[in-house]
Amino acid sequence: MTFEPAAIPQTINVLVVDDEAFICSTISRFLQAEGYASVSVHSAEQALERLQIEQFQLLVSDIMMPGKSGIELLGITKQLYPNMAVIMATGVDSRETAIRALELGAYGYLIKPFAKNELIINVVNALERRRLTMASQEYEQRLEQEVLDRTADVHRREEEIALRLVTAAEYRDDETGHHIRRIGLFSAELARGLSCPDQLAADLRVAAPMHDIGKIGISDTILLKPGRLTVEEFEVVKQHTVIGAGILSDSEIPLIQLARDIALYHHERWDGTGYPSGLRGEDIPLAARIVAIADVYDALVFDRVYRPAFSEKDSLAIMRRGKATHFDPQILQCFLDVLPAFREIRRCIEQEK
């Protein structure tokens, strides 16, 4: 990465603040002789008003003034104008005041009376420190953005690889790819609705589509059977959770660990009557509880080999009946709250077909 220093304005504007007009005039004369533009005001209150209408690169302020003190002005300006350098000037030689000013962010400290050279040296040092600080901030921001961009690119690649592999593993009809995409998008939307961390929502988008990867180990004769499964056949189908977890086990990658939990537990039920482990309530991993709702919604509103799709009205009625039995009631309510986003996801993917 090429390092570029922060841009420096051709004209340096300096705001001089002192309740004594003679001192303001003297400081301004010193500054203008060195090519700086200066504006003088006589109180902290006037300085704050001027800062609202004009940009300054440097503030030179007295400390002991009527009204707000220079120390108070320093604290306010560092909050409101963090890129403005500040030099404090005072007639009182106080070590404690000097330390306090520097702790609050002053770049220089002058004891009156001071010579022109002393002022200009402080000004040059303060402006150079300001330039270097801004350049460092800009560099860090660019670096952070580059890391974010690269992370997003890696995540996009992970998502594409996961979707392609899962599609290949489950390839039985043209709808499979759309189904696994919807599950990822639905799950991420639910996570955001629940105020989960952004990273979990992003990971769910990639991990949730792997929820049924274990079906690669189930015979097509059973999976594609057009009618109701026998008890024995359903017991075979239930093994896809364990098979999927086995495929995804022993990984050190957090995303795959998340996908493993989803594959194993997304058929558990809130009341403990699900499979394969009969977990109940919050013993079921959160990601699996989220995917359970996304998966059931998708299963209801789209055709399956053994039945046509339900209307959304009937699908929602079925899901509401599963509150606190099949589904986590909080997540189910969140699902109902973000339902418009689910519909928009369905619409967008339908348009891609």
Side-chain angles (χ1 to χ4, degrees):
M1 178 181 294
T2 303
F3 177 80
E4 298 176 0
I8 303 175
Q10 292 182 347
T11 301
I12 299 295
N13 294 320
V14 184
L15 180 61
V16 180
V17 189
D18 199 297
D19 58 320
E20 296 185 40
F22 172 74
I23 294 178
C24 280
S25 175
T26 301
I27 293 175
S28 293
R29 188 174 69 254
F30 287 167
L31 292 169
Q32 290 166 6
E34 298 298 321
Y36 300 107
S38 69
V39 173
S40 297
V41 295
H42 302 298
S43 70
E45 289 78 10
Q46 290 177 359
L48 292 171
E49 290 176 3
R50 194 61 186 250
L51 285 166
Q52 291 180 343
I53 60 175
E54 190 172 352
Q55 184 177 12
F56 294 90
Q57 287 73 49
L58 175 64
L59 171 70
V60 179
S61 177
D62 187 18
I63 291 180
M64 303 297 292
M65 297 182 290
K68 285 185 173 64
S69 70
I71 292 294
E72 290 176 289
L73 177 62
L74 170 61
I76 294 170
T77 56
K78 277 300 174 182
Q79 290 292 323
L80 297 178
Y81 312 101
N83 290 328
M84 181 175 66
V86 180
I87 295 173
M88 305 306 295
T90 181
V92 179
D93 187 359
S94 167
R95 179 174 177 272
E96 291 75 16
T97 303
I99 292 174
R100 177 64 175 155
L102 295 174
E103 287 177 342
L104 284 173
Y107 283 3
Y109 191 85
L110 291 166
I111 306 296
K112 301 175 187 177
F114 45 78
K116 175 183 175 182
N117 283 348
E118 189 178 359
L119 170 67
I120 298 306
I121 289 171
N122 268 269
V123 167
V124 170
N125 285 340
L127 290 172
E128 177 63 9
R129 181 175 169 185
R130 171 183 179 270
R131 185 190 71 80
L132 292 174
T133 299
M134 291 178 63
S136 176
Q137 291 171 347
E138 291 176 9
Y139 176 78
E140 289 176 3
Q141 289 170 359
R142 288 198 301 272
L143 187 61
E144 288 174 3
Q145 187 58 51
E146 185 172 323
V147 170
L148 289 174
D149 291 343
R150 289 184 179 181
T151 300
D153 185 53
V154 168
H155 212 276
R156 283 192 295 269
R157 293 180 186 182
E158 288 178 341
E159 181 178 17
E160 181 173 351
I161 291 169
L163 289 176
R164 289 179 181 272
L165 290 176
V166 173
T167 300
E170 298 188 25
Y171 189 78
R172 292 179 172 90
D173 57 58
D174 293 336
E175 176 61 21
T176 299
H178 299 298
H179 163 69
I180 61 178
R181 280 196 62 209
R182 288 192 301 265
I183 297 301
L185 293 169
F186 288 162
S187 299
E189 191 65 41
L190 266 177
R192 286 190 288 269
L194 292 165
S195 299
C196 294
D198 291 342
Q199 188 60 56
L200 177 58
D203 286 347
L204 273 172
R205 176 175 172 148
V206 180
M210 293 184 249
H211 67 293
D212 276 344
I213 196 170
K215 286 183 177 178
I216 194 173
I218 307 300
S219 168
D220 282 1
T221 304
I222 296 177
L223 288 178
L224 301 182
K225 182 179 178 179
R228 180 180 292 275
L229 298 178
T230 66
V231 173
E232 292 76 15
E233 288 169 335
F234 185 56
E235 288 299 319
V236 173
V237 170
K238 287 162 66 173
Q239 290 303 305
H240 81 277
T241 57
V242 177
I243 295 170
I247 293 171
L248 299 167
S249 290
D250 302 322
S251 174
E252 295 182 357
I253 301 172
L255 182 68
I256 301 302
Q257 294 171 349
L258 181 68
R260 181 258 180 197
D261 283 350
I262 292 169
L264 184 59
Y265 298 122
H266 71 284
H267 282 293
E268 299 289 355
R269 296 169 58 105
W270 186 255
D271 63 3
T273 62
Y275 64 88
S277 301
L279 299 183
R280 71 167 60 235
E282 294 186 356
D283 289 339
I284 306 167
L286 173 62
R289 284 180 270 146
I290 289 173
V291 173
I293 289 178
D295 190 31
V296 170
Y297 173 76
D298 196 79
L300 291 172
V301 297
F302 286 94
D303 291 336
R304 287 294 183 257
V305 294
Y306 50 87
R307 58 148 179 84
F310 288 95
S311 69
E312 186 177 74
K313 179 180 178 181
D314 289 342
S315 299
L316 295 178
I318 292 169
M319 295 186 72
R320 285 190 176 98
R321 288 198 295 271
K323 181 179 181 179
T325 54
H326 190 161
F327 305 118
D328 179 329
Q330 180 185 358
I331 301 177
L332 181 63
Q333 184 57 54
C334 177
F335 158 72
L336 296 172
D337 293 340
V338 302
L339 188 57
F342 274 50
R343 292 171 179 151
E344 180 62 16
I345 291 168
R346 289 174 57 189
R347 186 190 66 80
C348 290
I349 293 180
E350 283 295 313
Q351 288 181 343
E352 294 176 5
K353 291 185 180 180

